[in-house]
Amino acid sequence: MLRYFVFFLLICFYLQSSAQKSYSIKGFIKNEINPQMSISGPLKNGNYVYLEYLSGKVDSSIIKDNRFFFEGSIANPEPASLNHAHGGATILLSYESNFEVEFILNSPESGLYEYLSNVNSDSFFYNTWLKVGNRSHSLVKKRSELQNLNQQSINIESKNEIEVINKLLDNLYSSIIKNNQLINIEKAYILMSDPNFSNEKYKSFFDELSTTEKETKIGSLFKKKLENFS
């Protein structure tokens, strides 16, 4: 009896672990501006959408009733791209993550069509990456404008503003290291986007990763980037 009870507990633990590392992607094809496109293309029922992982794995889902769907589990958080014949979108797969993705038909001019993407997710990893990326892009753009201005004339004020922006960037990425809602692999992926990335700045972070974390795809990319800056 005890043996069966232990076996039952192991099964429950396995199912719980699998659920915690699962993801799902619900996709919608929005051809409202020209409903005929759902039948005659460019992205129509019967076509495929592909989920391409950073590790090289590829899954596919057929479009049916203007919808597609993916679900599965991951050993580690991993960037992936949803691709179709006319575009796609980037997502970051994480444990217990759910995505809703819309590919929206757009016509910038008569006879010309394209698909815009709209991604919504409950993934803290994905949403943090998006938020940090947008903030970083804004700061780097402002810094570039000041640097161009500074090249035209010696401007002490603009130099001081550049220093402030660099400090803001450092604080932005330092907050990622301190964020307890992200696991180390997720932190590593976001940190690689730091425009002030350097070996000196992040070697200690990498050294503190476990051997298993270092051997993941993200861990390997982080190590390679450190080597490029050494």
Side-chain angles (χ1 to χ4, degrees), residues 56-201:
K57 177 183 173 182
V58 179
D59 287 335
S60 63
S61 176
I62 193 168
I63 299 170
K64 184 178 180 180
D65 297 327
N66 291 321
R67 299 185 178 199
F68 60 91
F69 184 71
F70 292 94
E71 65 178 351
S73 60
I74 49 174
N76 298 288
E78 185 173 355
S81 57
L82 283 168
N83 297 322
H84 54 78
H86 308 281
T90 297
I91 59 174
L92 303 181
L93 299 175
S94 56
Y95 304 150
E96 296 182 275
S97 58
N98 302 287
F99 292 84
E100 285 195 0
V101 181
E102 295 177 333
F103 292 128
I104 306 163
L105 184 65
N106 181 51
S107 181
E109 59 182 84
S110 180
L112 181 64
Y113 293 98
E114 63 181 1
Y115 280 91
L116 306 177
S117 60
N118 181 40
V119 180
N120 288 297
S121 177
D122 60 5
S123 166
F124 186 77
F125 178 29
Y126 174 80
N127 290 324
T128 302
W129 167 74
L130 208 60
K131 182 179 178 181
V132 169
N134 289 336
R135 177 61 174 156
S136 177
H137 176 77
S138 176
L139 289 170
V140 169
K141 182 180 179 181
K142 179 62 176 177
R143 184 176 66 180
S144 297
E145 292 171 354
L146 290 168
Q147 287 171 335
N148 291 333
L149 183 65
N150 204 39
Q151 288 177 356
Q152 297 171 14
S153 62
I154 298 175
N155 189 324
I156 300 300
E157 185 177 345
S158 64
K159 284 184 177 180
N160 290 337
E161 287 187 60
I162 290 172
E163 290 180 6
V164 170
I165 288 174
N166 283 329
K167 183 64 176 176
L168 289 172
L169 284 167
D170 287 342
N171 291 340
L172 179 65
Y173 286 93
S174 292
S175 70
I176 295 302
I177 294 177
K178 299 172 185 176
N179 195 316
N180 293 327
Q181 290 182 264
L182 295 167
I183 65 174
N184 285 336
I185 291 304
E186 294 171 337
K187 293 177 183 180
Y189 184 76
I190 295 173
L191 292 176
M192 283 192 288
S193 67
D194 183 355
N196 294 335
F197 188 98
S198 69
N199 185 290
E200 180 182 4
K201 191 174 183 180

Side-chain angles (χ1 to χ4, degrees), residues 1-11:
M1 183 69 180
L2 178 62
R3 184 174 60 182
Y4 288 114
F5 179 70
V6 172
F7 179 74
F8 174 75
L9 289 179
L10 289 173
I11 291 294

